[in-house]
Each structure stands twice: as C-alpha cells, then as structure tokens.
Amino acid sequence: MTGKRLCAVALLILLTALPAAARSGAAFGIRGGVNVTDLSFDRNILSNDKRCGWFIGPSVKFTTPILPLCFDVAGLFEQRETRLNGTVVRQNSFIVPANLRLEFGLGSTLGLYFAAGPQIGINVGQEKFTIPGDDGSDNAFWLKRTSFSVNLGAGIFLTRHLEVGLAYNIAMGRTGDITFKKAYSTLTSGDTYSSESQAKTWMLSAALYF
C-alpha cells in the first residue's frame, strides 16, 4: 500500500472515530501550529539551516476515570523545511501523534498539562532531493517514506476548549539518507559514501476543542 493510500486510510479511521468520541464525552476539534526542525547527520559534511514549517488537522481528546489522566490523538498534515548546502528540503507528511496527558487545574478557567507519546508519519510529498557538494558534485538525499518518533511536551489550557502547547519531537531511527559522490577532479574514480540523518523538531501548537 502506498504512502498516500495509508494517509487516506488513517484519516478515514480518525474521522470515523469523531462521532463516537463525541457520544462518549470526549472532545474533538482542530489543532495547528508551527515547527522548526534540526536535521543532523552522522558525518559533519553539510551546512544545515533551520527553517520554519507548519501543521494542521483534526484532534480528539479523551478523558479517563483516573484523574488527572487523559490522552489525545490527532491526524495532521505537516510541512517541515530545512536548508542543506543552500538547497531547501521540504517534507510534506501525514502524521498521527498519540499522547498520554497529565492535567492539573489551576482554577476554574486555567490549567497545565504534560504530555508524552509516540508519533507515526507518512511522507506524501517529494522523497528525493539533489544537494550540491562543496566540491561541485551533485549528491542525492532521500527521505524515508515512513517514520516513527516520540513527543515530549507541556502547555496550558483555558476553559477546557483552548490550549497552547510546546512539544519536542525526537525521531527514532533515520529520517533520511544522503549519498555523496566525490568530484572526479580529485579522484581517479567516482567514489561514493553515505550518511544517515536524524530530525529533532520543536512544535508550537494551539488547539480548539468543541
């Protein structure tokens, strides 16, 4: 099954769950925000400039009989950007974060929450990028089609309808691979070598629940 089909199936499952969530007393709404990604390599061979991206999509929050424990799940379209050796790498993905939350009320209209949980991602955009090398060579950077990561975050909520949070997303495993080809002017043959990358992303979000 292709990444786009997986994206459609996951979104359909999420949308199907929304009416059931409403009947069970769970809150559903919309979440959106901005992100900044740091893409690091296991070899220090590329300049990496952080750029701002964004994400948006539906979200569901479930309460549990064990207070202050609850959890949320979302289906988001996300765009991440970084600049490698002057070339913009833009990753479009469908992501599904699921977080276990601890909520603490500070009054009738204000509270704090702490959240942690896994996230899966499916790349639905461009997978291969050509990155120029310092020696004039062209190098191929491939984004993985699927990814698994972990979120750690905290935030505040207002009147149980509006919340603002900050999360740190850490990729588990590789985000992508780049294959470098040294220039023929310095070698007798076109030698190649590869490097693995891992993304770490800050995500600032706001959610409105109905």
Side-chain angles (χ1 to χ4, degrees):
M1 185 177 289
T2 66
K4 291 184 179 180
R5 289 181 179 177
L6 284 172
C7 172
V9 170
L11 183 59
L12 180 61
I13 293 173
L14 180 64
L15 292 177
T16 303
L18 291 181
R23 290 192 298 270
S24 66
F28 63 95
I30 187 169
R31 178 181 299 274
V34 295
N35 58 44
V36 177
T37 300
D38 181 18
L39 190 64
S40 60
F41 291 85
D42 58 0
R43 302 187 186 194
N44 188 22
I45 43 183
L46 284 178
S47 65
N48 175 21
D49 297 326
K50 304 178 184 68
R51 292 171 65 91
C52 186
W54 56 272
F55 55 92
I56 192 169
S59 179
V60 186
K61 183 168 64 172
F62 299 89
T63 58
T64 70
I66 307 174
L67 296 177
L69 195 64
C70 63
F71 64 95
D72 64 59
V73 61
L76 309 173
F77 178 83
E78 180 189 56
Q79 184 175 102
R80 294 183 180 184
E81 287 191 14
T82 188
R83 187 190 296 270
L84 300 177
N85 275 17
T87 298
V88 174
V89 174
R90 182 177 293 113
Q91 181 180 20
N92 294 324
S93 301
F94 178 76
I95 62 173
V96 181
N99 296 304
L100 185 67
R101 298 163 51 119
L102 290 175
E103 296 188 347
F104 303 95
L106 301 178
S108 59
T109 61
L110 179 66
L112 295 175
Y113 74 86
F114 300 92
Q119 174 178 299
I120 60 171
I122 302 170
N123 185 9
V124 295
Q126 185 176 347
E127 295 182 8
K128 181 183 178 181
F129 297 83
T130 300
I131 310 298
D134 295 333
D135 56 6
S137 60
D138 288 332
N139 310 295
F141 178 63
W142 293 86
L143 289 168
K144 289 184 64 181
R145 180 164 294 181
T146 59
S147 63
F148 178 77
S149 56
V150 172
N151 289 313
L152 300 172
I156 61 173
F157 57 85
L158 304 170
T159 66
R160 298 289 176 175
H161 293 289
L162 177 65
E163 64 182 41
V164 178
L166 180 65
Y168 189 52
N169 177 262
I170 307 169
M172 299 289 102
R174 306 191 321 274
T175 300
D177 299 302
I178 189 164
T179 300
F180 291 88
K181 186 173 183 180
K182 294 185 177 180
Y184 279 87
S185 59
T186 60
L187 296 172
T188 57
S189 63
D191 290 346
T192 62
Y193 60 96
S194 62
S195 178
E196 299 176 354
S197 67
Q198 185 181 50
K200 298 179 177 65
T201 303
W202 286 101
M203 305 174 71
L204 177 64
S205 68
L208 179 63
Y209 290 100
F210 307 107

